[in-house]
Amino acid sequence: MTKKDGTYHHGDLRRALLAAAVEAIGESGPSAVSLRDLARRAGVSHAAPAHHFGDKAGLLTVLAAEGYDRLADTLRPVIAQTGSLVETGVAYIRFAVDHRAHFEVMFRPELYDRHDPAVLAARQRATETLAAAVATRGGDSGDARMDGLAAWSIVHGFATLWLGGALPADLGPDPEAAGRPVLRRLVDRP
Amino acid sequence: MTKKDGTYHHGDLRRALLAAAVEAIGESGPSAVSLRDLARRAGVSHAAPAHHFGDKAGLLTVLAAEGYDRLADTLRPVIAQTGSLVETGVAYIRFAVDHRAHFEVMFRPELYDRHDPAVLAARQRATETLAAAVATRGGDSGDARMDGLAAWSIVHGFATLWLGGALPADLGPDPEAAGRPVLRRLVDRP
């Protein structure tokens, strides 16, 4: 990503700063991020992050939009291939584990500009994708909106408890395998 | 809480520091707490927090144990009075909203000593209380453990999404009223 003299191309520096942010958030969460620390991690001047993102909220806004985009990109093929709300929920859990920093930022909207056009567009894509997953489900209860909120709550709750290390250790190391029977409790009504 | 000369009694200082921690966590989350900041907020010497809690992890360990204790204390009378898993879940959501700082700490066990005896005892009380709530439910699916994890996931997910400001604004201002029909999707199987 660097040129031979150790400096970055413009787009590469932006990516390097976002990667440094993901690393920093993985260590101590989105609240503790500072642009100064990101510059240090990327080995660039203190002014570089402000040049690219304006301020910390600007940086987190980019990560939030990226996160919603990736979530939609993750879920869409699963719905298309499986037509299963449970498997879509399992993919949501996998997304949270694989993209933990993005996931943590996405659900802390007080830290970024939730009205940013890129965030709104990406969020809309993700919301429509989740709604499509809920619509795949047989045995509609008659209130698709509440069904959607229930499905979102259970997958989000499981993912958050898993990331927080709060679940019993004997569920094993694989969040997909652990989550699947839990999600079935909501979806596979007897 | 202070003596006439502006100093604290020993137990009062401890409570004042915990209250300062709750305030600080409410502003920027548990990762960003520093003992130095708590001393400043409580108007005491820099050495006072370390004297009472050792270090930041020690302080958060006290809050985690307090949180699990309060959660058990919140849920127990609801189960006794209503015998309803949905109403117990609604009380869980209310707890998360009313004790947001404690709730955030409880589910960040990497920040505190999860093997501390007070945490283990309080957590055990809360776990048993949640298990009792799941046991109140009719129509057992045959796997009470998975039922429990599903119930915990859906209430935790709803509470977390609510606290994060991620849910649609038209759900209204009352998390209990908004959460009740969502939790019913899991519990009231058709």
Side-chain angles (χ1 to χ4, degrees):
Chain A
M1 283 175 73
T2 57
K3 290 193 286 190
K4 280 184 183 164
D5 63 358
T7 63
Y8 287 94
H9 288 287
H10 187 84
D12 289 345
L13 172 54
R14 188 171 184 280
R15 288 290 346 145
L17 288 167
L18 289 170
V22 166
E23 182 184 276
I25 293 164
E27 289 171 17
S28 41
S31 293
V33 167
S34 81
L35 294 190
R36 184 169 286 261
D37 175 52
L38 300 187
R40 189 188 53 72
R41 287 173 187 263
V44 297
S45 81
H46 287 161
H51 175 70
H52 280 271
F53 304 108
D55 56 15
K56 176 177 162 178
L59 171 92
L60 296 179
T61 300
V62 172
L63 287 181
E66 256 190 23
Y68 278 112
D69 260 333
R70 288 188 191 177
L71 177 60
D73 290 344
T74 300
L75 300 186
R76 282 187 173 187
V78 177
I79 301 169
Q81 286 160 29
T82 69
S84 157
L85 179 55
V86 168
E87 291 309 316
T88 309
V90 167
Y92 184 103
I93 293 167
R94 170 57 67 190
F95 170 83
V97 172
D98 285 349
H99 300 283
R100 178 176 189 150
H102 285 87
F103 186 76
E104 289 189 14
V105 172
M106 288 157 67
F107 297 103
R108 297 285 301 277
E110 79 282 10
L111 296 178
Y112 61 83
D113 178 8
R114 62 194 302 176
H115 303 297
D116 175 77
V119 169
L120 288 175
R123 207 191 136 123
Q124 180 65 20
R125 280 185 70 217
T127 302
E128 286 169 5
T129 309
L130 286 167
V134 171
T136 64
R137 173 183 158 180
D140 193 326
S141 72
D143 188 338
R145 184 151 183 269
M146 284 298 154
D147 287 343
L149 288 172
W152 189 17
S153 293
I154 197 168
V155 298
H156 192 80
F158 187 88
T160 306
L161 290 168
W162 181 277
L163 288 177
L167 293 171
D170 63 357
L171 285 178
D174 178 355
E176 299 190 41
R180 191 170 284 113
V182 174
L183 305 190
R184 284 205 185 112
R185 286 296 179 284
L186 177 68
V187 174
D188 297 341
R189 293 169 183 245
Chain B
M1 284 175 72
T2 57
K3 290 193 286 191
K4 281 183 181 164
D5 62 359
T7 62
Y8 287 94
H9 287 287
H10 186 84
D12 289 344
L13 172 54
R14 188 171 185 279
R15 288 290 348 145
L17 289 167
L18 289 171
V22 166
E23 183 184 275
I25 292 165
E27 290 171 17
S28 42
S31 294
V33 167
S34 81
L35 295 190
R36 183 169 287 261
D37 173 52
L38 300 186
R40 189 188 54 72
R41 287 173 187 263
V44 297
S45 81
H46 287 162
H51 175 70
H52 280 271
F53 304 108
D55 56 14
K56 175 177 163 179
L59 171 91
L60 296 178
T61 301
V62 172
L63 287 181
E66 255 190 23
Y68 279 112
D69 259 334
R70 288 187 190 176
L71 176 60
D73 289 345
T74 300
L75 301 186
R76 281 187 174 187
V78 178
I79 301 169
Q81 286 159 28
T82 69
S84 158
L85 178 55
V86 168
E87 291 309 316
T88 308
V90 167
Y92 185 102
I93 293 168
R94 170 57 66 191
F95 170 83
V97 172
D98 286 349
H99 301 283
R100 178 176 189 149
H102 285 87
F103 186 75
E104 290 190 13
V105 172
M106 287 158 67
F107 298 103
R108 296 285 302 277
E110 79 281 10
L111 296 178
Y112 61 84
D113 178 7
R114 62 195 302 176
H115 302 296
D116 174 78
V119 169
L120 288 175
R123 206 191 137 124
Q124 180 65 22
R125 280 185 70 217
T127 303
E128 285 169 5
T129 309
L130 285 167
V134 171
T136 63
R137 172 181 159 181
D140 192 325
S141 72
D143 189 339
R145 184 151 184 269
M146 285 299 153
D147 287 343
L149 288 171
W152 190 16
S153 293
I154 197 168
V155 299
H156 191 80
F158 187 89
T160 307
L161 290 168
W162 182 277
L163 289 177
L167 293 172
D170 62 357
L171 285 178
D174 178 355
E176 298 189 41
R180 192 172 282 113
V182 173
L183 304 190
R184 284 205 183 112
R185 287 297 180 285
L186 177 68
V187 174
D188 297 341
R189 293 167 183 248

